[in-house]
Amino acid sequence: MVAGRVISHNANLKPVVELLVYGRSEARARVQAIVDTGFTEQLTLPANAISKLGLPFEHEENLTMANDQPVTFQAFNARVEWNGQIREVKVLEAEGDPLIGMAMLRDHDLHIRAIPDGNVRIESIA
């Protein structure tokens, strides 16, 4: 199980979980990521985190945003501790808070108690 908390910021609620992200060699970082069910990919990280981890560049990826505008992202490879196991993931470079998307949640149940400091649980159904 992946667990976290709902944080309250300016009257907005954000479901947040902590991930351990591994890069090249011994590089690793604990990342507070927002669960975003409107994001279809796995994970975003800002450029400084990608650089610090030394993540290998994979390719450019074109996605369509919610406003129907196309955007090109730099895609990288990383490993993430997920449900007690190491999982290979695609990371898209995007400034702002890291996001966990629906591709990361595939084959999992998501439980959010949508109140300040409420519980967030992500549990495997496979």
Side-chain angles (χ1 to χ4, degrees), residues 19-34:
L19 298 177
L20 185 56
V21 182
Y22 296 89
R24 286 197 172 146
S25 303
E26 300 296 316
R28 63 183 179 180
R30 291 205 178 274
V31 173
Q32 301 290 317
I34 298 169

Side-chain angles (χ1 to χ4, degrees), residues 1-30:
M1 177 177 68
V2 177
R5 288 281 197 228
V6 174
I7 60 170
S8 179
H9 180 71
N10 295 333
N12 295 317
L13 300 176
K14 297 179 181 182
V16 175
V17 297
E18 184 175 271
L19 298 177
L20 185 56
V21 182
Y22 296 89
R24 286 197 172 146
S25 303
E26 300 296 316
R28 63 183 179 180
R30 291 205 178 274

Side-chain angles (χ1 to χ4, degrees), residues 47-88:
N48 64 341
I50 289 169
S51 177
K52 179 180 174 185
L53 289 164
L55 299 181
F57 174 77
E58 180 66 24
H59 60 272
E60 287 189 341
E61 188 152 326
N62 297 310
L63 297 175
T64 302
M65 304 305 286
N67 64 1
D68 287 328
Q69 295 300 309
V71 177
T72 301
F73 291 92
Q74 303 293 310
F76 298 82
N77 291 322
R79 292 167 314 189
V80 172
E81 189 172 313
W82 186 259
N83 283 325
Q85 298 188 24
I86 302 299
R87 178 177 173 182
E88 298 282 332

